[in-house]
Amino acid sequence: MFDRLAARFPVLLLARRNLARSRDLTVLAVLAVVIGVVAIGGIGLGGEAFKQDQLSAFEGFGGTATADPIDYEGEPPSERGFGDDDIDRMRQAAGSATVLPVVSPGGSTVQTASGDIAVTAQVNGIEDPRAFYDAQTGEIPANWRRSVVVGARIADTNDIAVGDRITVSVPGAFTRAFTVDAILEAQGFADPLSADQTVFVPLAQFGEPRYDSAVVRVPTTAGDIDAVAENIEAALNVRRQEVSVSPVQNQRAQFEQLFGTINQFLAGVGALSLLVAAVTIANTQLMSALEREGELGVMRAVGYPKLAVVRLLVAESAALGVVGAAVGIPLALAIGLVVNALLVGDPLAFTATGLTYVAVGAVFGILTALVAGIYPAWRTANKRPVEAFQG
């Protein structure tokens, strides 16, 4: 293939010969381009794999939203949060959607059967965990009033098992020992109630509380969570803002935008390595031109035009960029294969955005090489033949 190109563009043959004569400098210049291409492409592919891994936590929450009360300064505690009337109005506005009121008492503690405090555990009071969660071990009873259900991470971290007795203390409400009836399946960080870190207590244990929030879920085949959210806000925000409903998928979009911005920043940092490549290529071309001043002077003396000399030296720079990109692309893809396998579980789980980073890295590598070769080429071509012979 190269021979056919060289037949049409003889300058490529000269460029290859000249680069081969300065092998050490050529290898260093190509290596600089390879590092730049791999940095941009590898960071891009790795960042996309990480984003896929994190966003997978939102799967299963497409029809879920959180309803948070809007409290105003000066309101007495008895009027903050949601009351039973507010929950009833939400349920009427939500239609067939499930509305689950939640009590989230601050300062609560959980003590395991061994007497240790589960430091990272939080306590939530809800009516029926079966409406949102499935048990990994044990069973959530239908008449759930005197036992607790524990999140997967809390159970694993603190060696809590079904049948254990744990003590839950809620300041100003109760301190009681409960039997663990079930350990929930892992939910991921996107769960609106942070179930993995939670000990769920029957709502009946709190008497007649004010609710700190509510979770709304619409079956994906039965309706649109955005429409339900609008209906709830319209029903409760009549005189003033009383509730804000946020679909979980809105949070997903925010996370996706955040991850994309971080990935672009990191790829930009990786692109700085191409500045090193530019300096290396410029230095290579200057050194090569100095070594070949006599040869280039003869070419100019026999009528070789300035533009032809520039074209020759720029072709050499472009060749460095093309070779560097050709080596860097498979290396970047290899990094992507490994990262995809580790984070996503599928080595071939490339995204269009991730592959775009590889393409951008390759194009930037070639352009960097081209731009870096322009000054040495122009400087050399503008030397008079007599000056080249004297050099």
Side-chain angles (χ1 to χ4, degrees):
M1 181 178 178
F2 179 81
D3 292 336
R4 280 183 291 180
L5 286 174
R8 293 190 60 185
F9 306 101
V11 70
L12 293 178
L13 190 61
L14 288 173
R16 184 176 71 171
R17 186 204 67 176
N18 293 332
L19 291 175
R21 290 164 60 183
S22 304
R23 183 165 298 174
D24 292 342
L25 291 175
T26 297
V27 170
L28 288 175
V30 169
L31 183 60
V33 176
V34 170
I35 292 173
V37 173
V38 170
I40 296 175
I43 288 174
L45 290 173
E48 281 297 302
F50 178 74
K51 183 170 76 173
Q52 288 185 75
D53 177 56
Q54 295 299 303
L55 293 181
S56 64
F58 288 92
E59 294 179 4
F61 296 103
T64 305
T66 56
D68 297 300
I70 299 176
D71 296 323
Y72 292 88
E73 187 176 354
E75 280 187 329
S78 60
E79 295 182 10
R80 294 183 179 180
F82 296 130
D84 289 326
D85 290 343
D86 297 320
I87 298 299
D88 289 340
R89 291 162 63 195
M90 283 188 203
R91 285 171 172 161
Q92 291 176 3
S96 61
T98 301
V99 177
L100 188 72
V102 182
V103 175
S104 303
S108 302
T109 59
V110 176
Q111 186 177 34
T112 66
S114 62
D116 297 326
I117 299 296
V119 179
T120 59
Q122 64 184 40
V123 175
N124 279 330
I126 60 176
E127 291 174 331
D128 185 3
R130 297 177 305 166
F132 283 82
Y133 305 113
D134 294 319
Q136 183 182 65
T137 58
E139 185 178 353
I140 305 171
N143 185 19
W144 189 58
R145 299 183 61 85
R146 299 185 179 279
S147 59
V148 293
V149 173
V150 180
R153 183 173 298 174
I154 286 296
D156 182 62
T157 304
N158 297 277
D159 294 324
I160 298 173
V162 172
D164 285 355
R165 296 280 289 178
I166 64 175
T167 302
V168 178
S169 297
V170 176
F174 61 82
T175 297
R176 294 192 183 106
F178 296 91
T179 300
V180 177
D181 271 345
I183 307 297
L184 298 179
E185 291 184 353
Q187 302 298 312
F189 72 88
D191 180 73
L193 296 181
S194 301
D196 292 345
Q197 297 284 96
T198 298
V199 173
F200 289 102
V201 177
L203 198 58
Q205 297 291 329
F206 293 88
E208 297 180 359
R210 298 288 292 183
Y211 305 109
D212 297 289
S213 63
V215 181
V216 182
R217 174 166 290 181
V218 177
T220 54
T221 58
D224 180 10
I225 187 62
D226 291 317
V228 172
E230 291 177 3
N231 290 342
I232 291 175
E233 289 184 342
L236 272 72
N237 298 335
V238 178
R239 297 181 180 178
R240 64 175 187 175
Q241 293 290 108
E242 298 284 355
V243 62
S244 173
V245 184
S246 303
V248 172
Q249 289 305 310
N250 289 356
Q251 301 171 27
R252 184 187 191 281
Q254 294 170 1
F255 270 100
E256 190 167 9
Q257 184 178 8
L258 174 63
F259 288 138
T261 301
I262 293 174
N263 211 21
Q264 290 171 7
F265 171 76
L266 292 177
V269 173
L272 293 177
S273 60
L274 288 176
L275 292 178
V276 178
V279 173
T280 304
I281 290 171
N283 181 63
T284 298
Q285 293 302 88
L286 284 171
M287 293 293 291
S288 176
L290 285 173
E291 292 175 359
R292 294 153 48 204
E293 276 191 340
E295 175 187 329
L296 295 173
V298 170
M299 293 171 65
R300 292 279 289 112
V302 299
Y304 218 67
K306 288 182 181 180
L307 187 58
V309 174
V310 170
R311 191 161 53 239
L312 171 62
L313 295 177
V314 170
E316 294 175 12
S317 299
L320 294 174
V322 170
V323 173
V327 175
I329 288 174
L331 289 177
L333 291 175
I335 292 174
L337 287 170
V338 173
V339 176
N340 284 342
L342 292 175
L343 295 182
V344 186
D346 179 6
L348 299 177
F350 293 109
T351 65
T353 302
L355 294 175
T356 299
Y357 278 106
V358 178
V360 168
V363 171
F364 269 44
I366 295 171
L367 290 178
T368 298
L370 277 171
V371 172
I374 290 175
Y375 169 70
W378 186 253
R379 180 177 179 275
T380 302
N382 277 283
K383 268 194 174 184
R384 292 184 301 169
V386 65
E387 293 176 347
F389 288 129
Q390 290 174 349

